[in-house]
Amino acid sequence: MATRMIPLLPGARRAHGDRVPEQSRRPPGLTGGRARPRDLGATRLTVPVGLHTGLGCDAVGVPARFGFKILSRLPAKGCVYADSDWWWWLVPAGSDLDLTWPLPACYAPGAEIPDRRPRLIHHPDGTSPYTPPIPLYLLVCQLTGIAPSWAAPPVRSTL
């Protein structure tokens, strides 16, 4: 696996010659593939009044450079929030089951994200706040150059 030097966060120290694999990079305030507030504090994305959230809410975030590309290519769009660095799509809770969202995407259970004052930039036409997670996952994979993969159920024959 190729490695390259990654800039440290303020206040962090690294021994001379240590390298961090590129795949382990996370945006400031995020760790471990899931949104975890660090110095920024946290906020929960609020769903506009009149939209039904019976399936619970999680969020999938991508760096802002992918935002317009994803939004323009999705066949159905739910609530989309953005700040200067990240765009977030509301998805039904558990949309990470048997899926590994590719880096640099970030999955945020409970739609709790680092507080960068995100604002709603897309309101869905219907009463569902959700973006269908599978088309979103496939687009994120396509834009990041990662092949989609998920666990397949075992196939059995009763013959």
Side-chain angles (χ1 to χ4, degrees):
M1 169 171 72
T3 59
R4 71 177 207 184
M5 295 299 291
I6 306 297
L8 289 174
L9 294 174
R13 291 186 177 195
R14 183 183 307 143
H16 179 71
D18 285 352
R19 292 187 172 272
V20 176
E22 184 176 355
Q23 294 171 324
S24 69
R25 293 188 323 179
R26 291 279 175 229
L30 301 177
T31 59
R34 293 181 178 259
R36 293 208 182 130
R38 232 194 262 161
D39 299 330
L40 297 173
T43 189
R44 189 172 304 258
L45 296 174
T46 57
V47 179
V49 175
L51 299 181
H52 303 290
T53 58
L55 299 176
C57 281
D58 289 348
V60 174
V62 297
R65 70 181 180 269
F66 296 120
F68 283 115
K69 290 177 186 175
I70 293 173
L71 189 63
S72 67
R73 295 176 184 173
L74 280 172
K77 304 165 194 75
C79 292
V80 181
Y81 301 80
D83 58 47
S84 60
D85 298 321
W86 284 84
W87 284 38
W88 298 92
W89 279 261
L90 284 185
V91 293
S95 294
D96 64 337
L97 296 176
D98 295 329
L99 284 179
T100 301
W101 288 84
L103 290 176
C106 181
Y107 192 84
E112 188 172 338
I113 64 170
D115 190 3
R116 292 188 181 107
R117 294 184 177 84
R119 66 190 189 291
L120 182 68
I121 62 167
H122 182 269
H123 190 288
D125 295 331
T127 59
S128 174
Y130 306 119
T131 295
I134 298 302
L136 178 60
Y137 173 76
L138 294 173
L139 269 173
V140 170
C141 287
Q142 181 183 31
L143 290 174
T144 59
I146 305 293
S149 68
W150 49 79
V155 178
R156 292 185 162 194
S157 174
T158 56
L159 295 177

